[in-house]
Amino acid sequence: MRFLTSVKHLLPGVRILPPSTPLPPSTISTYPVLNPSTNQVLCLIDRQDDWGSDVDVSRVTRSAVDKAMSVGESFKRTTSLDRANILSLWASEIRSNSLALATIMTLESGKPLTESLSEVEYGASFLSYYSGSCYRTSGLNGGHIIPSPFPDPSGYSRGTLMSYNEPVGVCGMITPWNFPLAMLTRKVAPALAAGCTSVLKPSEHTPLTAIAVRELGRRAGVEDGIFEVLPFGEGGSRGFGDAICTNDDVKKVSFTGSTRVGKELQSKAAGGGVVKRMSLELGGNAPFVVFEDADMDRAVDAAVKSKFRNAGQTCVCSDRFLIAKSRMDEFVERFKKEAEELKVGDGMEEGTNLGPLITGQAAANVERKVRECKSGEIVTGGKRIVGNFFSPTIIVGMGLEEEVWREENFGPVACVRSFSDEDEALGVIKMSRTGLASYFLTKDVGRIFRFGRELPNGLVGVNEGIISTAHAPFGGIGESGIGREGSGEGIEEYLEKKYMMINH
Ligand SMILES: NC(=O)c1ccc[n+]([C@@H]2O[C@H](COP(=O)([O-])OP(=O)(O)OC[C@H]3O[C@@H](n4cnc5c(N)ncnc54)[C@H](O)[C@@H]3O)[C@@H](O)[C@H]2O)c1
Ligand SMILES: O=CCCC(=O)O
């Protein structure tokens, strides 16, 4: 197991080279990142073997937590201005290296370069947003004076009641490969704004993006111990989870990934050291409902965006399409036409809409679910094209018992059924235990409020297929997790409230 463990010379306007390049094992080699159109070297990466299977995960993690702990003592005393400056400089570093970072992401994960570029901006937006939070009362040292209910013979209420915020302490974080930059900044930006130090393990599939972001953070003043990235391989994931969940110095665990692993961490943390705060951003299986009065241009556009973004490998991707009976044929015909126009291919090539799925196993899993779906009709796609590339697929009229309908498919597969009325649609949606994103299209204002409020989801898009932003709370209900990221809610996850009663 080998890793590319450091990104050097990340130059402004620069970018990275295909991971398929053969490199001699057991060496530290320099790995150039090239601009594909000019062949200009954009940055250099060192490839080392020391994050391999023989790494003592528990020792390395312990030592990173120790460092975060000791640095945390002084870091929590920094001013709001200091932390705001770091975050805002870090955002600028990321924005000025957008092409380099986007290229790393595309080469690591396969997503089209245009999507990687959007993710760079999305990721930077969390740093910018939380640099502003440093100054708000919700930030570290912010708080409230509470009107006192205690009577006093003087006629004034007795005492001053105050609540103020303190950082929770050292945080252990784990992020996935599908948004290797934005999922990282969505955690570390509020943590840093709150005065917490953090130790993060990125996905084994996308360590370079995390390392590059860390490197840019250094330039912005994120000193050693404030935020560390430990790029363990697959064999190190469980060990890292154990190490953070059972270490008394880690006061908060923040995880983004599958529901299975999220629950595993929750139970480990419960049985391990001190009681820990937990944020779990887990899987979805988003419903997408088109009512009879929907604007069909909008519906098709939103369906394509919310289904095929990142080749369907997004926790908020629509999976379960419910279409009003009277609009079913029209929707399927137009959605199919759009899906067939999407170009599947190399993410570095211009015009590519969908890259490969992350691994052969992921592609085989999607292929199996489609093959095992015995009811319904595949109206387009349904095949693994080559390697990990899967064709945009639409299946119509499958039974509710099919796995491809019931479970998040994390691939470019849209499952479409019709429905008769709101109650039926809601009943079908509520059959799932997940509750992350949901979408519906209608022009009826009453229905927007009625149906929107009834949906068992943390995120609701009305007449829109892409709704994520640093400014709004992101998170799920039920099997989709606990806690919120982004917005003013996001920083609360990293703050303890202290109440002080001062008797005059
Ligand atoms: N709600 C959200 O914000 C959000 C965002 C992105 C992805 N996701 C979900 O993540 C899933 C896909 O991502 P994935 O395949 O990388 O998920 P995953 O759970 O397999 O992996 C996520 C992270 O956990 C690590 N990991 C794996 N096994 C572990 C273990 N036993 N202990 C500790 N860490 C472990 C991985 O190395 C990776 O860093 C989907 O279900 C998707 O919906 C959710
Ligand atoms: O995959 C989940 C995150 C996607 C998003 O933030 O929009």
mmCIF file of all heavy atoms in Angstrom, residues 122 126 176 178-179 182-183 186 256 309-310 313-317 410 436 466-469 474, ligand 2:
data_model
loop_
_atom_site.group_PDB
_atom_site.id
_atom_site.type_symbol
_atom_site.label_atom_id
_atom_site.label_comp_id
_atom_site.label_asym_id
_atom_site.label_seq_id
_atom_site.Cartn_x
_atom_site.Cartn_y
_atom_site.Cartn_z
ATOM 1 N N TYR A 122 -16.723 25.715 -4.067
ATOM 2 C CA TYR A 122 -17.632 25.297 -2.988
ATOM 3 C C TYR A 122 -16.820 25.078 -1.696
ATOM 4 O O TYR A 122 -17.188 25.557 -0.623
ATOM 5 C CB TYR A 122 -18.331 24.011 -3.445
ATOM 6 C CG TYR A 122 -19.339 23.403 -2.495
ATOM 7 C CD1 TYR A 122 -20.239 24.181 -1.790
ATOM 8 C CD2 TYR A 122 -19.410 22.011 -2.344
ATOM 9 C CE1 TYR A 122 -21.179 23.607 -0.949
ATOM 10 C CE2 TYR A 122 -20.346 21.423 -1.507
ATOM 11 C CZ TYR A 122 -21.220 22.214 -0.805
ATOM 12 O OH TYR A 122 -22.146 21.640 0.029
ATOM 13 N N PHE A 126 -16.614 27.539 2.327
ATOM 14 C CA PHE A 126 -16.760 27.245 3.768
ATOM 15 C C PHE A 126 -15.718 28.011 4.579
ATOM 16 O O PHE A 126 -15.997 28.496 5.672
ATOM 17 C CB PHE A 126 -16.641 25.733 4.033
ATOM 18 C CG PHE A 126 -17.833 24.968 3.518
ATOM 19 C CD1 PHE A 126 -17.770 24.278 2.322
ATOM 20 C CD2 PHE A 126 -19.037 24.986 4.203
ATOM 21 C CE1 PHE A 126 -18.877 23.608 1.818
ATOM 22 C CE2 PHE A 126 -20.157 24.322 3.716
ATOM 23 C CZ PHE A 126 -20.077 23.628 2.516
ATOM 24 N N PRO A 176 -14.954 11.430 3.033
ATOM 25 C CA PRO A 176 -15.060 10.479 1.919
ATOM 26 C C PRO A 176 -14.345 10.994 0.659
ATOM 27 O O PRO A 176 -13.798 12.096 0.662
ATOM 28 C CB PRO A 176 -16.570 10.425 1.684
ATOM 29 C CG PRO A 176 -17.015 11.822 1.989
ATOM 30 C CD PRO A 176 -16.089 12.368 3.049
ATOM 31 N N ASN A 178 -15.896 11.341 -2.410
ATOM 32 C CA ASN A 178 -16.732 11.894 -3.491
ATOM 33 C C ASN A 178 -16.668 13.424 -3.573
ATOM 34 O O ASN A 178 -16.833 13.982 -4.648
ATOM 35 C CB ASN A 178 -18.179 11.382 -3.388
ATOM 36 C CG ASN A 178 -18.885 11.830 -2.150
ATOM 37 O OD1 ASN A 178 -18.250 12.234 -1.179
ATOM 38 N ND2 ASN A 178 -20.197 11.761 -2.158
ATOM 39 N N PHE A 179 -16.408 14.092 -2.424
ATOM 40 C CA PHE A 179 -16.129 15.532 -2.409
ATOM 41 C C PHE A 179 -14.900 15.723 -1.524
ATOM 42 O O PHE A 179 -15.004 16.163 -0.377
ATOM 43 C CB PHE A 179 -17.331 16.328 -1.895
ATOM 44 C CG PHE A 179 -18.435 16.398 -2.912
ATOM 45 C CD1 PHE A 179 -19.346 15.369 -3.025
ATOM 46 C CD2 PHE A 179 -18.526 17.475 -3.790
ATOM 47 C CE1 PHE A 179 -20.339 15.395 -3.987
ATOM 48 C CE2 PHE A 179 -19.520 17.511 -4.755
ATOM 49 C CZ PHE A 179 -20.423 16.474 -4.851
ATOM 50 N N ALA A 182 -14.390 19.683 -0.476
ATOM 51 C CA ALA A 182 -15.470 20.398 0.221
ATOM 52 C C ALA A 182 -15.876 19.712 1.533
ATOM 53 O O ALA A 182 -16.233 20.392 2.503
ATOM 54 C CB ALA A 182 -16.674 20.541 -0.698
ATOM 55 N N MET A 183 -15.816 18.368 1.575
ATOM 56 C CA MET A 183 -16.199 17.694 2.820
ATOM 57 C C MET A 183 -15.172 17.969 3.917
ATOM 58 O O MET A 183 -15.493 17.956 5.103
ATOM 59 C CB MET A 183 -16.352 16.184 2.603
ATOM 60 C CG MET A 183 -17.463 15.797 1.645
ATOM 61 S SD MET A 183 -19.111 16.411 2.113
ATOM 62 C CE MET A 183 -19.264 17.889 1.115
ATOM 63 N N ARG A 186 -15.673 21.769 4.939
ATOM 64 C CA ARG A 186 -16.958 21.916 5.635
ATOM 65 C C ARG A 186 -16.816 21.540 7.120
ATOM 66 O O ARG A 186 -17.601 21.966 7.955
ATOM 67 C CB ARG A 186 -18.013 21.044 4.940
ATOM 68 C CG ARG A 186 -19.422 21.392 5.291
ATOM 69 C CD ARG A 186 -20.407 20.922 4.253
ATOM 70 N NE ARG A 186 -20.709 19.514 4.363
ATOM 71 C CZ ARG A 186 -21.584 18.877 3.564
ATOM 72 N NH1 ARG A 186 -22.192 19.528 2.595
ATOM 73 N NH2 ARG A 186 -21.817 17.606 3.719
ATOM 74 N N THR A 256 -18.054 11.854 7.697
ATOM 75 C CA THR A 256 -18.916 11.857 6.514
ATOM 76 C C THR A 256 -18.608 10.597 5.726
ATOM 77 O O THR A 256 -17.452 10.326 5.390
ATOM 78 C CB THR A 256 -18.661 13.095 5.630
ATOM 79 O OG1 THR A 256 -18.994 14.259 6.382
ATOM 80 C CG2 THR A 256 -19.541 13.062 4.388
ATOM 81 N N ARG A 309 -24.866 14.359 -11.341
ATOM 82 C CA ARG A 309 -23.713 15.052 -10.769
ATOM 83 C C ARG A 309 -22.763 14.004 -10.174
ATOM 84 O O ARG A 309 -23.195 13.075 -9.501
ATOM 85 C CB ARG A 309 -24.241 15.986 -9.685
ATOM 86 C CG ARG A 309 -23.220 16.774 -8.925
ATOM 87 C CD ARG A 309 -23.973 17.681 -7.953
ATOM 88 N NE ARG A 309 -23.110 18.394 -7.058
ATOM 89 C CZ ARG A 309 -23.368 18.603 -5.780
ATOM 90 N NH1 ARG A 309 -24.493 18.153 -5.237
ATOM 91 N NH2 ARG A 309 -22.532 19.283 -5.038
ATOM 92 N N ASN A 310 -21.490 14.137 -10.475
ATOM 93 C CA ASN A 310 -20.466 13.205 -9.976
ATOM 94 C C ASN A 310 -20.850 11.744 -10.271
ATOM 95 O O ASN A 310 -20.652 10.850 -9.451
ATOM 96 C CB ASN A 310 -20.251 13.404 -8.470
ATOM 97 C CG ASN A 310 -18.904 12.884 -8.001
ATOM 98 O OD1 ASN A 310 -18.036 12.542 -8.811
ATOM 99 N ND2 ASN A 310 -18.711 12.806 -6.697
ATOM 100 N N GLN A 313 -22.628 9.788 -7.714
ATOM 101 C CA GLN A 313 -21.955 9.451 -6.447
ATOM 102 C C GLN A 313 -21.968 10.638 -5.494
ATOM 103 O O GLN A 313 -20.932 11.131 -5.058
ATOM 104 C CB GLN A 313 -20.518 9.029 -6.729
ATOM 105 C CG GLN A 313 -20.411 7.869 -7.709
ATOM 106 C CD GLN A 313 -18.985 7.660 -8.151
ATOM 107 O OE1 GLN A 313 -18.360 6.682 -7.777
ATOM 108 N NE2 GLN A 313 -18.444 8.567 -8.935
ATOM 109 N N THR A 314 -23.154 11.104 -5.197
ATOM 110 C CA THR A 314 -23.327 12.238 -4.290
ATOM 111 C C THR A 314 -24.388 11.843 -3.276
ATOM 112 O O THR A 314 -25.404 11.263 -3.651
ATOM 113 C CB THR A 314 -23.783 13.464 -5.106
ATOM 114 O OG1 THR A 314 -22.794 13.764 -6.047
ATOM 115 C CG2 THR A 314 -24.005 14.658 -4.257
ATOM 116 N N CYS A 315 -24.159 12.163 -2.024
ATOM 117 C CA CYS A 315 -25.119 11.743 -1.010
ATOM 118 C C CYS A 315 -26.491 12.375 -1.227
ATOM 119 O O CYS A 315 -27.487 11.855 -0.760
ATOM 120 C CB CYS A 315 -24.590 12.075 0.370
ATOM 121 S SG CYS A 315 -24.164 13.807 0.531
ATOM 122 N N VAL A 316 -26.515 13.530 -1.954
ATOM 123 C CA VAL A 316 -27.797 14.193 -2.187
ATOM 124 C C VAL A 316 -28.360 13.894 -3.591
ATOM 125 O O VAL A 316 -29.325 14.514 -4.016
ATOM 126 C CB VAL A 316 -27.694 15.724 -1.973
ATOM 127 C CG1 VAL A 316 -27.525 16.035 -0.499
ATOM 128 C CG2 VAL A 316 -26.538 16.327 -2.763
ATOM 129 N N CYS A 317 -27.759 12.957 -4.303
ATOM 130 C CA CYS A 317 -28.246 12.613 -5.652
ATOM 131 C C CYS A 317 -29.657 12.021 -5.575
ATOM 132 O O CYS A 317 -29.944 11.205 -4.700
ATOM 133 C CB CYS A 317 -27.352 11.542 -6.285
ATOM 134 S SG CYS A 317 -26.001 12.228 -7.247
ATOM 135 N N PHE A 410 -25.742 5.093 -5.476
ATOM 136 C CA PHE A 410 -24.427 5.714 -5.631
ATOM 137 C C PHE A 410 -23.815 5.470 -7.007
ATOM 138 O O PHE A 410 -22.629 5.153 -7.158
ATOM 139 C CB PHE A 410 -23.478 5.268 -4.517
ATOM 140 C CG PHE A 410 -22.903 6.446 -3.791
ATOM 141 C CD1 PHE A 410 -23.729 7.398 -3.240
ATOM 142 C CD2 PHE A 410 -21.530 6.626 -3.672
ATOM 143 C CE1 PHE A 410 -23.219 8.516 -2.588
ATOM 144 C CE2 PHE A 410 -21.002 7.742 -3.018
ATOM 145 C CZ PHE A 410 -21.864 8.676 -2.481
ATOM 146 N N LEU A 436 -31.980 12.334 3.913
ATOM 147 C CA LEU A 436 -31.063 13.433 3.611
ATOM 148 C C LEU A 436 -31.789 14.405 2.672
ATOM 149 O O LEU A 436 -32.684 15.105 3.089
ATOM 150 C CB LEU A 436 -29.756 12.866 3.044
ATOM 151 C CG LEU A 436 -28.575 13.848 2.937
ATOM 152 C CD1 LEU A 436 -28.236 14.475 4.266
ATOM 153 C CD2 LEU A 436 -27.339 13.142 2.364
ATOM 154 N N ILE A 466 -30.107 21.483 -7.345
ATOM 155 C CA ILE A 466 -28.812 21.649 -6.654
ATOM 156 C C ILE A 466 -29.017 22.698 -5.563
ATOM 157 O O ILE A 466 -29.280 23.864 -5.869
ATOM 158 C CB ILE A 466 -27.706 22.143 -7.634
ATOM 159 C CG1 ILE A 466 -27.537 21.186 -8.820
ATOM 160 C CG2 ILE A 466 -26.384 22.366 -6.900
ATOM 161 C CD1 ILE A 466 -26.761 19.925 -8.550
ATOM 162 N N ILE A 467 -28.914 22.302 -4.307
ATOM 163 C CA ILE A 467 -29.283 23.241 -3.244
ATOM 164 C C ILE A 467 -28.184 23.484 -2.203
ATOM 165 O O ILE A 467 -28.347 24.296 -1.304
ATOM 166 C CB ILE A 467 -30.568 22.773 -2.520
ATOM 167 C CG1 ILE A 467 -30.373 21.374 -1.918
ATOM 168 C CG2 ILE A 467 -31.756 22.773 -3.456
ATOM 169 C CD1 ILE A 467 -31.550 20.924 -1.051
ATOM 170 N N SER A 468 -27.050 22.776 -2.324
ATOM 171 C CA SER A 468 -26.022 22.888 -1.286
ATOM 172 C C SER A 468 -25.339 24.248 -1.312
ATOM 173 O O SER A 468 -25.018 24.768 -2.375
ATOM 174 C CB SER A 468 -24.943 21.826 -1.494
ATOM 175 O OG SER A 468 -25.520 20.574 -1.648
ATOM 176 N N THR A 469 -25.096 24.809 -0.165
ATOM 177 C CA THR A 469 -24.351 26.063 -0.029
ATOM 178 C C THR A 469 -23.809 26.170 1.400
ATOM 179 O O THR A 469 -24.423 25.644 2.339
ATOM 180 C CB THR A 469 -25.240 27.299 -0.326
ATOM 181 O OG1 THR A 469 -24.597 28.464 0.227
ATOM 182 C CG2 THR A 469 -26.624 27.206 0.298
ATOM 183 N N PHE A 474 -26.686 21.838 6.396
ATOM 184 C CA PHE A 474 -26.691 20.616 5.595
ATOM 185 C C PHE A 474 -26.649 19.425 6.542
ATOM 186 O O PHE A 474 -25.780 19.338 7.410
ATOM 187 C CB PHE A 474 -25.442 20.612 4.704
ATOM 188 C CG PHE A 474 -25.390 19.483 3.701
ATOM 189 C CD1 PHE A 474 -25.642 19.715 2.359
ATOM 190 C CD2 PHE A 474 -25.078 18.187 4.100
ATOM 191 C CE1 PHE A 474 -25.603 18.682 1.431
ATOM 192 C CE2 PHE A 474 -25.041 17.144 3.182
ATOM 193 C CZ PHE A 474 -25.294 17.402 1.843
HETATM 194 O O1 LIG B 2 -22.027 13.982 -1.181
HETATM 195 C C1 LIG B 2 -22.426 14.804 -0.420
HETATM 196 C C2 LIG B 2 -22.100 16.255 -0.378
HETATM 197 C C3 LIG B 2 -22.665 16.950 -1.550
HETATM 198 C C4 LIG B 2 -22.981 18.397 -1.305
HETATM 199 O O2 LIG B 2 -22.491 18.997 -0.349
HETATM 200 O O3 LIG B 2 -23.750 18.921 -2.099
#
